[in-house]
Amino acid sequence: MDHAGRRRGSGEDHDTAAIREVREETGLELDGVPAPFLDTDFDPDQRWHVYDRGHWAWYAVRVPASFEPQRDGWTDEELRDMVDWRWMSATELEAEAASAHETEPTELPDLVRANTPPKGNP
């Protein structure tokens, strides 16, 4: 499960933005995305976000085990600021949240667990 994506482009719907962001941030080319498992407005945590309103559209897509994410589409800022980058299971997300890192949304491990497609499904 990837947490790709930050912003929708002008005139982009959430599905199109998800496909573009996954390509830019991982190099994975998607033909489409399933319906989002989380599609809601939220109040951004001002420690992390400079905007007053937010909207999440979260998708779950299973990728081949052999897929290795690429950083080719990253901006200079992302290359400078990103210190760790990896796929994480719901259990790993819980361990990170329990140790030192917050997840956003706080229920992310449960959402991942409940919405990860079974192996063999897209």
Side-chain angles (χ1 to χ4, degrees):
M1 170 138 328
D2 178 46
H3 178 191
R6 298 292 180 263
R7 296 211 158 87
R8 245 180 350 149
S10 178
E12 260 184 337
D13 63 22
H14 292 287
D15 292 358
T16 303
I19 292 166
R20 177 185 50 76
E21 287 284 347
V22 166
R23 182 185 66 250
E24 288 175 1
E25 295 193 19
T26 71
L28 181 65
E29 295 282 346
L30 297 174
D31 293 329
V33 291
F37 65 81
L38 177 63
D39 192 8
T40 188
D41 293 326
F42 69 99
D43 293 323
D45 184 328
Q46 295 300 304
R47 294 174 301 161
W48 301 347
H49 306 291
V50 297
Y51 43 88
D52 295 325
R53 268 182 353 155
H55 183 87
W56 278 324
W58 289 63
Y59 302 84
V61 178
R62 183 167 291 283
V63 300
S66 61
F67 176 72
E68 288 293 329
Q70 304 296 314
R71 298 177 182 192
D72 299 343
W74 286 20
T75 65
D76 289 341
E77 181 181 8
E78 289 168 329
L79 289 168
R80 183 180 57 250
D81 293 344
M82 193 65 65
V83 295
D84 192 13
W85 186 59
R86 66 188 183 275
W87 300 114
M88 296 178 77
S89 68
T91 301
E92 291 167 323
L93 283 169
E94 282 176 333
E96 285 288 313
S99 64
H101 300 95
E102 297 177 52
T103 61
E104 188 179 35
T106 55
E107 68 273 16
L108 182 59
D110 292 334
L111 289 167
V112 169
R113 188 172 284 110
N115 293 285
T116 299
K119 289 184 179 178
N121 287 354

